[in-house]
Amino acid sequence: QGSVRPARRRGSWSPGGMEGQCGRSVAFDCTPRPAACCSDWMAELPDALPLSHLSIPGTHDSLSLFGGQRLRCQSWSLEAQLAAGIRFLDVRCRVAQGELHVYHLCTFQRASLRGVLRRTLRFLRAHPREAVLMRIKEELPIFSQPGFAAQLHRCLLEEGQGHVWCREEVPTLGQVRGKIVVLEALAHKVLGIPYEQLSISDNWNVLSLKRKWRRAQRHLDRVASGDPATMHLTFCSGNGLFTCPEEVARFVNPRCYQHLRRRRGRPMCWGVVIMDFPGTGLLQLIVDSNAPQSSRHSVAARGTSMASPQHPCGRGAGCCSQHSSTSHPRQSPPGWKSLPAPHPCQGTSAATEQKQVPSPGCAAGSL
């Protein structure tokens, strides 16, 4: 149950080629920092685009950096994920000591929801034309804690600072630039887009790696040819009795990369593609698929500047390329940045990357 291993050229990164031994490829990355950043890829997309028309890279259990191999789903900090282009965050919380703290199962992830909101809004203040979808879920709902919905409402009200979308309908990009878009699954209160009403493929309990990928692939293909008014979420992540999140990602991510790469350059909406340990090459493929969407909606987005045709992904300054020019032979446009990175075989220490939750001090605001 290893990775796909196509022939590799000297000096190139192939999806799955080295990741059996190392921590980084174009599709998979378990090192502490992404190889490239893409901080402003939404900036030149038209305001009139509904979020359901976009291809959006996301992470599953986005703050799960601790708990060992069985529980750890990511190796990049929240800030690193946002800088790399992640625009969907999956945040799992439990009520503890009167506040919402981030957990994966019973393991505390050294973060609070208030801190996650503050850090995300700090990123959005620096990149005001971006938007971040945030699924907020009660962890271990079979042991549901009284007051979760009330705590969530209070947290969003006090930390939102007027920059949180808590309405049921799917907004356009223009309506939510600079904002967090909440997706939730509460029983008796609406605090965002109802998560369970969306089109979701989340076969998280993995008994067969091949079957896991086939189901994710089928859903991606349905998204590409489906109703653009519906928001689609495809989880490429998973866990299981005989596997772990990292092993699933090493198998599924390269296949997802190859599948999306075969359709590169065509008008395409992949919906929200949610991953564990994504590589920046895979993120770039998802982001790049929005360039044709931008062209098709140029008439609707009056007054929105469009990218020049020489720019392969239709983005402005701040959008950044994959680290390997041989993997993507076209020339990287100005504004794409490769980040200093550890050697691809270097190990990962999540504890050194996770930052402390910011101290209190943000002013209260309205939803």
Side-chain angles (χ1 to χ4, degrees):
Q1 295 181 348
S3 302
V4 178
R5 297 184 183 277
R8 283 184 284 124
R9 293 172 297 171
R10 182 183 296 256
S12 69
W13 292 93
S14 62
M18 290 182 64
E19 65 194 71
Q21 302 83 25
C22 302
R24 172 175 291 164
S25 75
V26 292
F28 172 89
D29 192 339
C30 65
T31 65
R33 292 176 299 278
C37 71
C38 191
S39 299
D40 295 285
W41 65 263
M42 289 179 165
E44 294 191 19
L45 293 176
D47 285 348
L49 271 175
L51 293 188
S52 58
H53 289 209
L54 293 178
S55 300
I56 298 174
T59 48
H60 154 260
D61 238 315
S62 305
L63 277 294
S64 185
L65 279 75
F66 304 96
Q69 191 177 40
R70 298 296 304 174
L71 292 182
R72 194 168 71 103
C73 299
Q74 310 299 332
S75 61
W76 301 341
S77 70
L78 173 63
E79 289 78 6
Q81 291 181 40
L82 293 170
I86 296 296
R87 295 294 177 269
F88 171 92
L89 300 173
D90 178 24
V91 183
R92 317 288 182 93
C93 303
R94 297 178 65 190
V95 179
Q97 300 176 339
E99 289 291 342
L100 292 177
H101 292 272
V102 180
Y103 276 80
H104 186 180
L105 297 180
C106 296
T107 301
F108 176 50
Q109 295 300 320
R110 311 183 193 181
S112 69
L113 180 60
R114 288 183 182 272
V116 171
L117 292 171
R118 292 171 186 172
R119 292 157 67 188
T120 305
L121 288 172
R122 186 181 304 132
F123 171 83
L124 289 170
R125 284 194 296 272
H127 305 276
R129 292 186 61 77
E130 303 298 294
V132 175
L133 282 69
M134 186 179 292
R135 178 202 182 192
I136 303 176
K137 175 184 182 292
E138 182 177 11
E139 186 69 329
L140 293 174
I142 55 174
F143 305 112
S144 184
Q145 299 167 294
F148 179 85
Q151 287 284 355
L152 176 56
H153 182 262
R154 188 180 75 177
C155 190
L156 293 173
L157 185 69
E158 293 175 355
E159 301 297 338
Q161 307 174 52
H163 293 283
V164 177
W165 179 271
C166 291
R167 294 161 62 179
E168 287 189 68
E169 64 267 21
V170 176
T172 64
L173 181 56
Q175 289 176 296
V176 292
R177 289 195 192 274
K179 295 183 180 181
I180 296 170
V181 180
V182 175
L183 285 68
E184 52 78 19
L186 300 175
H188 304 294
K189 188 183 286 286
V190 175
L191 293 178
I193 299 172
Y195 178 79
E196 293 179 349
Q197 296 180 17
L198 306 177
S199 170
I200 300 167
S201 171
D202 184 11
N203 306 107
W204 64 269
N205 189 10
V206 178
L207 299 177
S208 163
L209 294 174
K210 291 181 179 179
R211 187 181 303 125
K212 166 64 187 180
W213 165 237
R214 283 198 301 268
R215 290 178 175 177
Q217 180 182 3
R218 282 198 298 268
H219 194 259
L220 286 169
D221 290 339
R222 282 198 298 270
V223 175
S225 59
D227 179 10
T230 301
M231 183 173 285
H232 302 269
L233 288 76
T234 304
F235 283 82
C236 295
S237 55
N239 205 342
L241 183 61
F242 303 108
T243 187
C244 65
E246 181 176 325
E247 184 179 358
V248 174
R250 285 182 183 274
F251 185 90
V252 173
N253 289 9
R255 286 160 173 78
C256 185
Y257 176 88
Q258 294 286 14
H259 185 65
L260 270 57
R261 195 167 186 266
R262 284 192 289 269
R263 308 282 287 275
R264 186 173 60 183
R266 307 179 199 174
M268 197 63 57
C269 172
W270 297 112
V272 185
V273 184
I274 303 161
M275 301 154 283
D276 288 339
F277 304 106
T280 50
L282 179 51
L283 299 184
Q284 184 181 334
L285 277 180
I286 298 168
V287 167
D288 283 2
S289 68
N290 290 296
Q293 304 271 354
S294 174
S295 301
R296 289 190 309 177
H297 288 81
S298 59
V299 176
R302 189 176 305 170
T304 302
S305 61
M306 303 306 299
S308 66
Q310 289 80 17
H311 198 304
C313 75
R315 312 289 180 262
C319 187
C320 312
S321 72
Q322 169 63 18
H323 58 281
S324 170
S325 60
T326 52
S327 295
H328 301 277
R330 52 193 179 173
Q331 176 124 14
S332 296
W336 288 55
K337 296 186 221 173
S338 293
L339 301 180
H343 187 276
C345 293
Q346 179 174 325
T348 301
S349 173
T352 60
E353 181 67 4
Q354 176 76 348
K355 300 194 177 179
Q356 296 293 322
V357 177
S359 60
C362 287
S366 65
L367 293 179

